[in-house]
Amino acid sequence: MRRVLLAAYVCLALSLGAAEAPTPSQFLKLTVGADRTLADYGQITAYFRALAAASPRVQIENLGSTTNGHPLIMAIISSEANLRNKARHQEIAKRLADPRGLSEAQIEALAKEGKAIVLVSCSIHASEIAATQMAMEWAHALATAKDAETLRRLDQVILLLVPSLNPDGQVMETEYYRKQVGTRYEGGRLPWLYHPYVGHDNNRDWYMLTQKESLAVNRMAYHQWFPQVWLDEHQMGATGPRMFVPPYANPVAKEVHPLVWRTVDLLGSTMSLRLEEGGKAGVAYGTMFDAYWPGGTKNTGWWKNVVGLLTEVASARLASPADIDPTELSAGGKGLVEYKPQVNFPNPWKGGPWRLRDIMDYERIASDALLEACANLKADLLRNRARMAQASIQAGDPAFFYRLPVEQRDPVAAARLAHLMAENGAEVRVTKDGAYLLPTAQPLGRFVKEMMEPQRYPETRPAAGAPPMAPYDVAAWTLPLMMGVQTEKVRLSEAERNDARLLKADDWPKGGVLGSGAVAVLDRRVTAAAGLLNEALKAGNAQVALEGFEAEGKRFEAGSVLLKADAGLDRLAARHHVALRTLSGKPAVKQAALKAPRVGLLKPWTGSMDEGWTRWILEQYGFAPKSLEPKAVQAGKLRDTLDVIVLPDVSKSQLLEGRFRPEGEGTRRFMEEVPPEYSGGLGKEGLKALKEFVEQGGTVIALSASSELLMDEWTLPVRNVLPGGRGGDAFACPGSILHMHFDATHPVAFGLPAESHGFMDGRLAFQTLPASPQNRRAVIASYPDDARDILASGWIKGAEHLERKGAAVAVELGKGKVVLFGFRVQHRAQTEETFKLLFNALYWSAMAE
């Protein structure tokens, strides 16, 4: 039967009369994949559009605009017949992703009729650039092939090919690389982030969906196309294995259906086989990359019943060759301790030249192998998508729901969480009284549970008595804890379930000015209040109540903002979904005047993702930060234009010297130089200018690691008490959510409850000295007295070192203030509850009693 089908595909190919599509090299008039040659994103999109115009097997879909306004394109590649029936195949994929109401016979019929939807995304990390070049050659080969096997694959599979998941970064990297070719900086690192905001962390955004690119691709994947398989193509360091393909390393996420891992193993093994057959040495599996964390592109899909795969190929120097001496090759890390033949690494590469073309060839073989395997397993992939969804439904209980009740400290955050889960593809319902419900019995029930409940990182050990393997990224991501949303798991009657309707786009709290009084009171418990307040401050100053008070039968917390109640404020409140209550007059309580803070944000030349995330968050909430390069700080006179300067979470050596240096070591790790105009740190001169800024009345906010610079250089009455300075062997906290106490009477903690949570990654814990006339300090946040009460979600070792220690401290210095945050108050734009601490510190800089 297979021979008959292959013969039919040959006849079909011969009957195609389309004009021959040009190769990428012919169209672009350059040799794609050659040394020192890169096609930029504009050229790539032009080629894909030309290919679509020349071939009936290719269509182009624009998924939206990137942060910098580039089109985020996706090529849809399949047989002509499949593309004519594209809508039908999308509908089949959608029905199998949510098989409720389908009989077994109907599932089987749809699995037979449908096509495997396979998504391949390239180069989300822009310096990992080879896949953007390979994608053009692969697409051309599929569009023009006449061999029966390729035609069979295209008949069974609809390929969704995203040639760049980070077009803005691709443009940055290509332009910088071209500028440096022929200089001593050729192939070196980009001196800034390869994304307008988040750099490498764009692959950490796939459940929070903050960035335009991740949001657009998420909508395509979970609301329009519903792929069964997702391959994300990456690159890694130059001196290890030549390529990683699945299976993954331990630990494994227990909530993910085993069919995901079985299919991942089978598809990855097909890649390994074809690579070995193609003479490609150095392929490894079961090492480095684990199967536990849900933050990346394909990772999040594991909990959504998608078979998510990762490939990583060793990097060259972008398009310049790398020369790897055999003595420089190494293994290391979980699953591959030594660089020698072993079961998951049977044919080590021996060293030598390594080029862009090598990377592209490895990627091409793996990509073709994926297409081959998915064509062979087409019916299984479709059937198993339905099976996994059914298992997720059955693992829940139709009567049990996660409920986000109406009564919340921050009702806007609760609505934001509900809409975020819906954006992720989950079913969300709304009760008659406005509470949000997440059913446990739904196709994405496993994903819902993973996001809503605390994590406990599995202490997987490579051998008996060995220490547990560290997580690949972080160990916790419980959204209600990070966002400050109260949730409960409830059983509902059938009548209550039937009364709840699906969430709609306009299901947000009703904002506005409530009452007819002259003074409107803004509740600082609501994180979204910052956006409203910043818009209101453009029209004039406000007053802040420095103490809690009662007025006209209502209780208001310290930090409440008093604004003039008028129609303009009402419109602002409606847009931000924030409700303000009015009073007939200002309360008789101690107050401070508040103006719009003038915010500076240090931008190190090392390219800080934390700086980018911080800048993005501040812009989203209307703070308009001014980026400060180190030379701008060194120039001094900062107080003339700024009230507050934020130092991002980077090391002391990065701040002072503009280079990385391992903490606690006397020698520097080698770091290639960049052109002098893109280099340098604050130095002693910049540090002196910062201190003068504070002494003259300014405020400096140090985010996590940058606190160490100020403690060391300014001899502040506070020190880090964690063993080894940054953790050592006695303490580890790899991205976990901890219980914390907050002093809500302090201006930096206005709006926080007395007990809440913070995200900690094992960096700092503070010990202050007793207050004195020369030591005006305040502990804003601290850890519980008992180590057993500290961990809320994730994993921690040595929690006793945090007992009764400070997590956030403020120190007055001269006329100004220094605020030190020892934990990640704005971690990757996920910890929305503790955004308030950062925002409050900014406002504190612009308050006057």
Side-chain angles (χ1 to χ4, degrees):
M1 182 63 183
R2 178 166 175 151
R3 288 183 178 179
V4 173
L5 285 173
L6 290 174
Y9 290 131
V10 171
C11 293
L12 176 61
L14 294 174
S15 69
L16 292 174
E20 190 73 14
T23 68
S25 295
Q26 290 169 340
F27 179 81
L28 299 175
K29 295 180 173 55
L30 53 82
T31 305
V32 174
D35 289 352
R36 298 176 177 84
T37 302
L38 287 175
D40 61 40
Y41 188 69
Q43 293 172 306
I44 293 168
T45 55
Y47 177 72
F48 270 96
R49 295 190 192 283
L51 186 63
S55 172
R57 301 179 196 168
V58 181
Q59 295 179 3
I60 302 299
E61 186 173 320
N62 190 347
L63 303 181
S65 293
T66 67
T67 302
N68 282 351
H70 292 103
L72 181 59
I73 68 162
M74 178 176 75
I76 307 167
I77 305 174
S78 191
S79 69
E80 190 173 353
N82 286 345
L83 293 185
R84 282 198 304 269
N85 296 310
K86 182 174 66 174
R88 173 59 181 164
H89 292 305
Q90 285 180 270
E91 178 61 25
I92 291 171
K94 180 179 181 180
R95 294 188 69 189
L96 292 174
D98 185 354
R100 288 177 289 190
L102 294 178
S103 67
E104 291 301 307
Q106 289 173 315
I107 290 174
E108 195 61 37
L110 290 173
K112 182 177 181 181
E113 178 189 356
K115 305 299 177 181
I117 312 295
V118 177
L119 171 60
V120 176
S121 51
C122 302
S123 303
I124 188 171
H125 296 147
S127 60
E128 302 166 13
I129 205 164
T132 67
Q133 314 295 295
M134 180 278 298
M136 293 186 288
E137 294 187 339
W138 190 31
H140 175 265
L142 296 175
T144 61
K146 296 180 173 63
D147 65 285
E149 174 59 19
T150 300
L151 295 176
R152 181 189 72 84
R153 295 175 186 178
L154 292 176
D155 184 64
Q156 298 300 307
V157 175
I158 297 175
L159 172 65
L160 309 178
L161 178 59
V162 181
S164 173
L165 249 182
N166 182 6
D168 299 343
Q170 207 276 354
V171 171
M172 294 178 201
E173 289 283 359
T174 305
E175 289 180 348
Y176 183 77
Y177 174 78
R178 289 171 175 171
K179 182 179 179 181
Q180 305 304 332
V181 167
T183 76
R184 66 195 299 257
Y185 308 111
E186 178 181 318
R189 64 178 178 87
L190 191 69
W192 51 84
L193 297 173
Y194 53 58
H195 178 275
Y197 290 107
V198 301
H200 198 84
D201 270 358
N202 59 359
N203 200 32
R204 309 292 187 265
D205 190 45
W206 291 83
Y207 53 79
M208 209 67 190
L209 304 175
T210 67
Q211 301 303 299
K212 286 186 175 182
E213 298 81 10
S214 45
L215 183 60
V217 174
N218 175 83
R219 286 178 177 170
M220 175 275 295
Y222 300 114
H223 294 271
Q224 298 166 5
W225 273 100
F226 305 94
Q228 295 90 34
V229 176
W230 187 340
L231 167 63
D232 198 30
E233 303 209 14
H234 287 249
Q235 290 170 224
M236 57 185 176
T239 58
R242 293 304 88 189
M243 189 174 192
F244 165 85
V245 300
Y248 300 105
N250 284 319
V252 63
K254 66 178 182 179
E255 290 297 333
V256 175
H257 197 287
L259 277 173
V260 167
W261 308 130
R262 296 299 188 186
T263 313
V264 162
D265 295 353
L266 183 55
L267 299 181
S269 294
T270 304
M271 293 179 185
S272 295
L273 176 63
R274 299 300 181 228
L275 286 159
E276 203 64 49
E277 289 175 343
K280 302 302 182 186
V283 178
Y285 69 86
T287 179
M288 296 178 281
F289 306 101
D290 65 36
Y292 180 70
W293 163 72
T297 48
K298 85 292 174 194
N299 305 50
T300 309
W302 297 335
W303 283 264
K304 299 179 180 181
N305 309 314
V306 174
V307 177
L309 299 106
L310 168 74
T311 58
E312 298 261 1
V313 187
S315 294
R317 296 177 57 78
L318 264 73
S320 297
D323 179 52
I324 311 298
D325 191 88
T327 63
E328 294 167 346
L329 291 167
S330 63
K334 54 189 174 188
L336 194 67
V337 177
E338 297 180 277
Y339 195 90
K340 66 179 184 180
Q342 48 200 286
V343 69
N344 63 335
F345 189 50
N347 183 16
W349 185 67
K350 293 180 171 56
W354 186 249
R355 291 181 156 85
L356 174 67
R357 171 50 62 186
D358 295 317
I359 304 169
M360 292 169 62
D361 289 347
Y362 275 68
E363 290 174 333
R364 173 71 181 279
I365 292 172
S367 299
D368 276 329
L370 175 71
L371 203 63
E372 172 196 356
C374 290
N376 294 341
L377 294 169
K378 186 269 291 185
D380 297 278
L381 293 172
L382 272 66
R383 185 186 304 111
N384 288 342
R385 180 68 186 266
R387 293 283 180 269
M388 290 187 283
Q390 288 175 324
S392 182
I393 295 166
Q394 293 163 5
D397 185 324
F400 274 93
F401 294 76
Y402 295 98
R403 179 164 63 189
L404 283 55
V406 175
E407 294 299 322
Q408 299 272 348
R409 286 183 59 85
D410 188 345
V412 183
R416 164 116 169 85
L417 176 54
H419 284 274
L420 176 59
M421 296 301 291
E423 191 68 63
N424 268 286
E427 178 185 328
V428 183
R429 293 187 168 270
V430 183
T431 65
K432 288 183 177 180
D433 67 351
Y436 303 104
L437 299 174
L438 291 121
T440 60
Q442 62 164 300
L444 267 60
R446 296 174 189 271
F447 174 75
V448 170
K449 181 178 180 181
E450 191 69 21
M451 294 294 108
M452 298 297 290
E453 296 193 359
Q455 283 73 50
R456 285 295 180 267
Y457 179 72
E459 293 195 357
T460 305
R461 300 173 188 272
M469 292 187 291
Y472 176 73
D473 192 76
V474 299
W477 39 85
T478 314
L479 291 180
L481 300 185
M482 292 196 293
M483 298 175 72
V485 177
Q486 288 72 54
T487 64
E488 53 195 11
K489 201 169 182 179
V490 297
R491 175 182 286 275
L492 300 180
S493 67
E494 185 174 358
E496 289 173 314
R497 300 198 298 270
N498 291 337
D499 282 343
R501 57 168 176 80
L502 287 173
L503 179 77
K504 296 186 297 186
D506 61 354
D507 283 323
W508 288 85
K510 181 176 174 56
V513 177
L514 308 179
S516 57
V519 177
V521 183
L522 178 62
D523 188 349
R524 296 278 283 280
R525 296 179 302 173
V526 179
T527 301
L532 185 158
L533 178 56
N534 285 332
E535 288 199 62
L537 288 173
K538 293 176 183 178
N541 293 356
Q543 295 294 123
V544 178
L546 299 178
E547 303 166 343
F549 64 94
E550 291 187 8
E552 301 177 16
K554 303 180 185 68
R555 178 68 188 173
F556 299 92
E557 292 191 3
S560 297
V561 180
L562 310 177
L563 298 164
K564 180 182 177 181
D566 56 24
L569 183 62
D570 186 60
R571 288 191 295 271
L572 278 181
R575 189 165 69 248
H576 290 274
H577 314 295
V578 174
L580 293 85
R581 298 190 176 277
T582 62
L583 302 174
S584 58
K586 290 185 179 180
V589 65
K590 187 177 181 181
Q591 299 175 21
L594 173 64
K595 65 177 184 178
R598 301 172 299 170
V599 180
L601 175 61
L602 183 69
K603 188 175 185 178
W605 279 122
T606 48
S608 163
M609 288 178 284
D610 190 70
E611 179 276 329
W613 279 117
T614 305
R615 178 162 37 89
W616 184 85
I617 293 167
L618 296 183
E619 289 178 5
Q620 296 304 302
Y621 285 86
F623 282 98
K626 176 183 178 182
S627 289
L628 299 174
E629 295 174 4
K631 289 181 180 178
V633 177
Q634 291 172 343
K637 298 184 179 180
L638 299 167
R639 192 71 183 96
D640 293 347
T641 57
L642 297 170
D643 298 306
V644 56
I645 295 174
V646 181
L647 306 182
D649 177 16
V650 296
S651 69
K652 179 178 177 180
S653 61
Q654 287 173 269
L655 289 170
L656 275 183
E657 305 167 29
R659 61 187 302 131
F660 299 97
R661 182 168 62 184
E663 298 298 322
E665 297 183 14
T667 58
R668 300 183 182 186
R669 186 175 70 191
F670 176 74
M671 183 177 179
E672 286 194 354
E673 293 180 2
V674 295
E677 63 267 30
Y678 305 130
S679 64
L682 291 172
K684 296 296 183 182
E685 187 178 356
L687 192 60
K688 179 182 177 182
L690 272 181
K691 190 171 185 180
E692 289 175 352
F693 168 75
V694 175
E695 291 173 338
Q696 293 168 4
T699 297
V700 168
I701 300 170
L703 300 178
S704 202
S706 62
S707 299
E708 293 181 303
L709 171 68
L710 304 187
M711 287 189 293
D712 292 348
E713 299 294 329
W714 290 357
T715 59
L716 299 177
V718 55
R719 61 186 176 89
N720 180 19
V721 295
L722 289 185
R726 295 180 65 82
D729 294 333
F731 181 87
C733 186
S736 295
I737 302 169
L738 308 183
H739 291 283
M740 294 185 183
H741 301 308
F742 295 95
D743 178 5
T745 66
H746 191 280
V748 174
F750 283 159
L752 271 295
E755 296 185 8
S756 189
H757 305 91
F759 190 93
M760 210 269 199
D761 60 2
R763 300 199 175 198
L764 293 164
F766 299 127
Q767 179 66 66
T768 57
L769 296 175
S772 71
Q774 297 181 28
N775 174 20
R776 296 167 293 167
R777 59 93 189 103
V779 178
I780 301 163
S782 60
Y783 296 102
D785 295 349
D786 191 327
R788 294 170 295 182
D789 299 330
I790 289 175
L791 181 65
S793 181
W795 183 73
I796 191 170
K797 176 184 178 182
E800 64 275 10
H801 294 288
L802 296 180
E803 291 177 342
R804 299 188 310 280
K805 297 301 183 289
V809 172
V811 179
E812 295 183 44
L813 184 64
K815 297 179 180 179
K817 300 177 281 284
V818 177
V819 180
L820 309 176
F821 291 119
F823 65 103
R824 302 265 295 164
V825 296
Q826 43 29 306
H827 173 73
R828 293 174 179 166
Q830 297 172 10
T831 54
E832 294 188 3
E833 167 80 324
T834 53
F835 285 4
K836 289 190 267 290
L837 292 165
L838 174 59
F839 298 165
N840 288 341
L842 298 175
Y843 291 132
W844 193 31
S845 75
M847 287 169 50
E849 296 184 30

